[in-house]
């Protein structure tokens, strides 16, 4: 039986997150009986999290759930590299701790991997942008244009929080260096440089009730510098 590792980075998740994760993980297990699923949670330096309580709640439902933790907070890119480092499944998929995309989206993406796609990149629809604060919406659309015109990426939507890849691509993900938001852009850029890989954009849909926070100026400045790093490499 082929194996699938699901990796979730966590930074100060909302109360009750363990129930969301375990329920949706179990539902995905039922939807994909042909695969052996494992769950990895990476605690990215959360300040307000009782690790023993959280791990106990997870393992009550998912006994073999893996827990990775460190201090201080380093960012989503760094967190996911820690998870991918320990993931050895035939397929690896990562998403956000609130499991924001529909099960149908995840199943479609995973089955494309099982069908031979090397890397499956979630592509957001217009409904997604309606959930974003105006500032983040403008930045996301601007970045997609830049990705296509300047960086000439094979998939121009790099920032959706749902992606997957086959085990041979794991080393490419681990070669990323950006710790925060634009690690996704760096990953897709590195993928696009490999002529022998099959990279496919997969349409994905948000679950109902998902909301997004504003991005502060300090983070925007950091990510502007990270974008320049990727651009200079290109």
């Amino acid at each position: 039986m082929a194996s699938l590792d699901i990796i979730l980075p966590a930074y100060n998740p909302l109360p009750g997150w363990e129930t969301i994760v375990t329920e949706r993980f179990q539902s995905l297990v039922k939807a994909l009986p042909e695969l052996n699923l494992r769950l990895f949670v990476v605690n990215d330096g959360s300040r307000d999290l009782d690790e023993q309580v959280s791990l106990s709640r997870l393992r009550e439902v998912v006994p073999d759930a893996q827990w990775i933790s460190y201090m201080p907070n380093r960012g989503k890119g760094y967190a996911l590299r820690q998870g991918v480092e320990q993931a050895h499944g035939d397929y690896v998929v990562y998403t956000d701790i609130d499991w924001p995309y529909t099960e149908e989206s995840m199943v479609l993406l995973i089955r494309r991997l099982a069908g031979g796609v090397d890397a499956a990149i979630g592509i957001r629809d217009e409904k997604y942008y309606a959930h974003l604060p105006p500032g983040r919406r403008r930045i996301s659309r601007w970045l997609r244009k830049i990705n296509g015109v300047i960086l000439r990426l094979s998939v121009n939507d790099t920032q959706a929080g749902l992606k997957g890849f086959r085990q041979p691509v794991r080393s490419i993900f681990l070669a990323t260096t950006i710790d925060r938001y634009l690690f996704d852009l760096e990953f897709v850029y590195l993928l696009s440089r490999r002529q022998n890989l099959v990279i496919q954009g997969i349409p994905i849909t948000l679950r109902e009730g998902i909301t997004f926070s504003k991005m502060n100026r300090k983070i925007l400045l950091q990510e502007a510098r990270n974008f320049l790093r990727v651009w200079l490499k290109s």
Side-chain angles (χ1 to χ4, degrees):
M1 181 181 288
S3 56
L4 166 66
D5 293 339
I6 305 287
I7 305 177
L8 308 175
Y11 177 61
N12 294 334
L14 295 174
W17 68 271
E18 302 96 339
T19 300
I20 292 173
V21 167
T22 53
E23 287 181 352
R24 291 177 181 172
F25 180 79
Q26 282 190 308
S27 182
L28 193 61
V29 169
K30 292 178 181 178
L32 297 165
E34 70 275 20
L35 296 176
N36 178 29
L37 274 66
R38 291 197 303 167
L39 177 66
F40 292 74
V41 177
V42 184
N43 175 28
D44 181 25
S46 298
R47 297 185 303 272
D48 305 316
L49 185 65
D50 188 322
E51 293 191 84
Q52 290 186 340
V53 170
S54 290
L55 183 55
S56 175
R57 289 173 178 168
L58 288 175
R59 287 186 173 165
E60 281 179 8
V61 183
V62 186
D64 63 347
Q66 303 297 303
W67 184 269
I68 303 164
S69 185
Y70 52 83
M71 292 291 285
N73 170 256
R74 295 289 300 271
K76 185 178 178 182
Y78 183 90
L80 284 170
R81 284 194 294 273
Q82 307 316 299
V84 171
E85 183 70 47
Q86 297 191 33
H88 297 281
D90 297 294
Y91 317 117
V92 177
V93 168
Y94 64 83
T95 190
D96 299 317
I97 196 65
D98 56 350
W99 214 286
Y101 297 97
T102 63
E103 184 171 287
E104 292 78 10
S105 298
M106 295 191 71
V107 169
L108 174 62
L109 184 142
I110 291 162
R111 289 199 166 138
R112 293 291 175 86
L113 293 173
V117 170
D118 294 299
I121 312 299
I123 296 178
R124 299 164 291 183
D125 58 18
E126 283 302 312
K127 291 182 180 178
Y128 174 94
Y129 290 102
H131 289 78
L132 290 178
R136 285 188 64 170
R137 188 183 311 139
R138 287 192 295 269
I139 291 169
S140 293
R141 286 178 167 155
W142 173 83
L143 186 58
R144 287 187 68 164
K145 291 180 181 178
I146 294 296
N147 288 342
V149 175
I150 295 181
L151 298 182
R152 298 181 181 179
L153 300 184
S154 54
V155 177
N156 70 1
D157 187 5
T158 59
Q159 300 310 116
L162 177 59
K163 294 180 177 65
F165 49 87
R166 297 170 70 90
Q167 182 60 215
V169 176
R170 175 174 169 269
S171 61
I172 299 175
F173 187 89
L174 292 174
T176 61
T177 58
I178 293 173
D179 286 345
R180 299 196 180 274
Y181 292 98
L182 287 191
F183 77 91
D184 276 315
L185 169 59
E186 184 181 20
F187 178 45
V188 177
Y189 167 72
L190 293 176
L191 288 173
S192 297
R193 296 177 65 187
R194 303 294 186 96
Q195 300 298 318
N196 60 329
L197 294 179
V198 178
I199 306 164
Q200 192 171 103
I202 310 296
I204 57 177
T205 304
L206 278 176
R207 294 177 183 271
E208 292 295 327
I210 297 295
T211 58
F212 295 90
S213 61
K214 295 180 180 179
M215 189 176 293
N216 67 48
R217 291 184 179 180
K218 182 179 178 180
I219 292 176
L220 284 175
L221 289 173
Q222 290 174 341
E223 295 312 289
R225 288 193 292 268
N226 285 330
F227 177 81
L228 288 174
R229 286 170 56 190
V230 177
W231 188 7
L232 291 173
K233 284 180 183 179
S234 70

